[in-house]
Amino acid sequence: MYQYRRDRLLMLIGERYDNTRKKISDASGWSEARISQILSPTYRDGRAFSEKIARKLEADLQLASMYFDQGAAPDQASLAARALAGGQAVVVAGGADEEDERFYAIRKVKLRLSAGITGFAIEPETHDGSTISVPRGWVERNGYHPDKLVAIKVKGESMEPALYEDDVVIINTADSRPVDGVVFAVNYEGEPVVKRLARDIGEWWLTSDNPDQRKYHRKMCRGNECLIVGRVVRKESERI
């Protein structure tokens, strides 16, 4: 079954993504390295393309459920289908993929905010993939609740060199307590911004890390026009 899924994925890459792993990586939100791992016949003894991985990749690529198992040998395909229908994890020949269980899938979202309103709505970031994987141990070690974590893309240059445009940051929406010197996602006059909070002369300020302070000057964070969405707890960047 593992090789069958790899063949199906290779066919998909060839037919829909110009035989380019970068394109399917962009479409799915998975890294090229992760795509290469599940395509490898030697990585994890060739068992990386597990049931869980197949179903998740299908969802992230908006494919029909069981797409990667279509046409497989009846015994394997029916086993997977029964497990899916019953909401149960399945162990196919060779054992389950333990690596996937070591990660949480955090939703990539766009924040929809209104000025002066504490709550916020989110919508999936479909253009850039729907999830980002983070180590389960990191989540549990820090006491985070995975349902309270969301990922957003950084916009603009105001936080360089700490954060660059298109970096992805993970926000803990359960933590909105202001802390001096810490980076937060903030609802500033109805717009989502990522800024470092600073305490000065008895007031909270939104500050930028960019040294061009004339262009990216600090702004007072006060009242309902400056509401903390959550603390930035992790970043994912392609910059070296």
Side-chain angles (χ1 to χ4, degrees), residues 14-183:
E15 292 177 351
R16 300 191 190 180
Y17 299 99
D18 298 327
N19 210 29
T20 305
R21 294 185 185 183
K22 175 66 165 61
K23 290 186 177 181
I24 195 171
S25 173
D26 291 342
S28 65
W30 294 38
S31 68
E32 289 185 67
R34 190 71 180 106
I35 296 293
S36 295
Q37 286 175 349
I38 65 176
L39 282 171
S40 171
T42 57
Y43 180 74
R44 293 183 59 81
D45 295 326
R47 297 172 181 170
F49 208 168
S50 68
E51 170 75 7
K52 288 184 179 180
I53 292 293
R55 302 296 81 82
K56 185 175 185 303
L57 185 56
E58 286 162 357
D60 289 346
L61 288 171
Q62 298 183 340
L63 298 169
S65 181
M66 305 299 292
Y67 174 89
F68 292 114
D69 294 0
Q70 276 182 0
D75 57 336
Q76 295 284 5
S78 61
L79 178 62
R82 285 198 302 272
L84 186 67
Q88 304 263 334
V90 62
V91 179
V92 295
D97 179 26
E98 297 175 355
E99 183 184 43
D100 188 57
E101 297 177 356
R102 302 195 338 243
F103 293 85
Y104 281 115
I106 305 302
R107 296 169 294 169
K108 286 184 182 178
V109 303
K110 295 179 181 178
L111 298 176
R112 289 193 284 111
L113 308 171
S114 297
I117 297 179
T118 304
F120 59 93
I122 60 176
E123 58 185 59
E125 177 61 270
T126 55
H127 174 73
D128 193 42
S130 59
T131 62
I132 184 169
S133 295
V134 297
R136 181 182 293 265
W138 171 78
V139 173
E140 295 174 350
R141 183 170 62 252
N142 287 283
Y144 301 140
H145 194 295
D147 289 342
K148 297 296 183 181
L149 301 177
V150 295
I152 65 170
K153 185 179 288 188
V154 174
K155 304 296 183 184
E157 303 172 349
S158 69
M159 289 301 291
E160 294 182 5
L163 298 169
Y164 287 87
E165 185 165 24
D166 292 336
D167 283 354
V168 175
V169 294
I170 295 178
I171 304 163
N172 180 17
T173 62
D175 187 356
S176 59
R177 181 177 60 88
V179 178
D180 187 23
V182 173
V183 179

Side-chain angles (χ1 to χ4, degrees), residues 151-225:
I152 65 170
K153 185 179 288 188
V154 174
K155 304 296 183 184
E157 303 172 349
S158 69
M159 289 301 291
E160 294 182 5
L163 298 169
Y164 287 87
E165 185 165 24
D166 292 336
D167 283 354
V168 175
V169 294
I170 295 178
I171 304 163
N172 180 17
T173 62
D175 187 356
S176 59
R177 181 177 60 88
V179 178
D180 187 23
V182 173
V183 179
F184 289 86
V186 178
N187 176 352
Y188 185 74
E189 298 181 346
E191 295 295 326
V193 298
V194 175
K195 296 289 184 181
R196 194 177 301 278
L197 281 183
R199 186 73 171 170
D200 187 30
I201 57 173
E203 299 283 356
W204 286 103
W205 301 82
L206 299 180
T207 66
S208 301
D209 285 3
N210 193 305
D212 187 353
Q213 291 296 302
R214 287 195 300 178
K215 182 177 181 180
Y216 302 106
H217 57 86
R218 71 179 187 173
K219 299 177 181 179
M220 187 175 290
C221 183
R222 177 196 290 173
N224 288 336
E225 295 308 301

